Amino acid sequence: MAIQYCEKCGKETEHKELIKQKPSKYGKSRKEKFKEFLSGFLAGVAVGPALASIELIDRYVVCQECGHKKLENHGEEFQ
Ligand SMILES: [Zn+2]
């Protein structure tokens, strides 16, 4: 949980991170492995810069007050 500014609320609120996997350009087995890796990763506490740098995921933050979703990829690639 992180405190971030929410455009909708117009103030700083608690945000929860949400991570979605982008459609993979790799084969299925690779994808499955990635899923395993990702769920293992998410089981840990830290969802940090290391994870955000993985280009196969979209990282969102969700406002806990209004539910507003904001895309928060840190990579340069917006597809
Ligand atoms: Zn909000």
Side-chain angles (χ1 to χ4, degrees), residues 9-60:
C9 295
K11 62 177 182 179
E12 295 196 332
T13 61
E14 289 200 331
H15 283 68
K16 200 172 167 185
E17 290 190 334
L18 179 72
I19 285 161
K20 280 187 180 174
Q21 189 179 357
K22 288 179 184 173
S24 179
K25 38 192 166 186
Y26 302 107
K28 198 171 187 236
S29 62
R30 180 78 184 256
K31 194 174 172 182
E32 292 305 311
K33 271 184 190 161
F34 182 77
K35 258 194 218 161
E36 270 175 40
F37 160 74
L38 194 62
S39 56
F41 209 117
L42 292 179
V45 215
V47 180
L51 185 57
S53 70
I54 297 172
E55 64 175 22
L56 285 177
I57 55 163
D58 278 330
R59 186 164 161 264
Y60 297 88

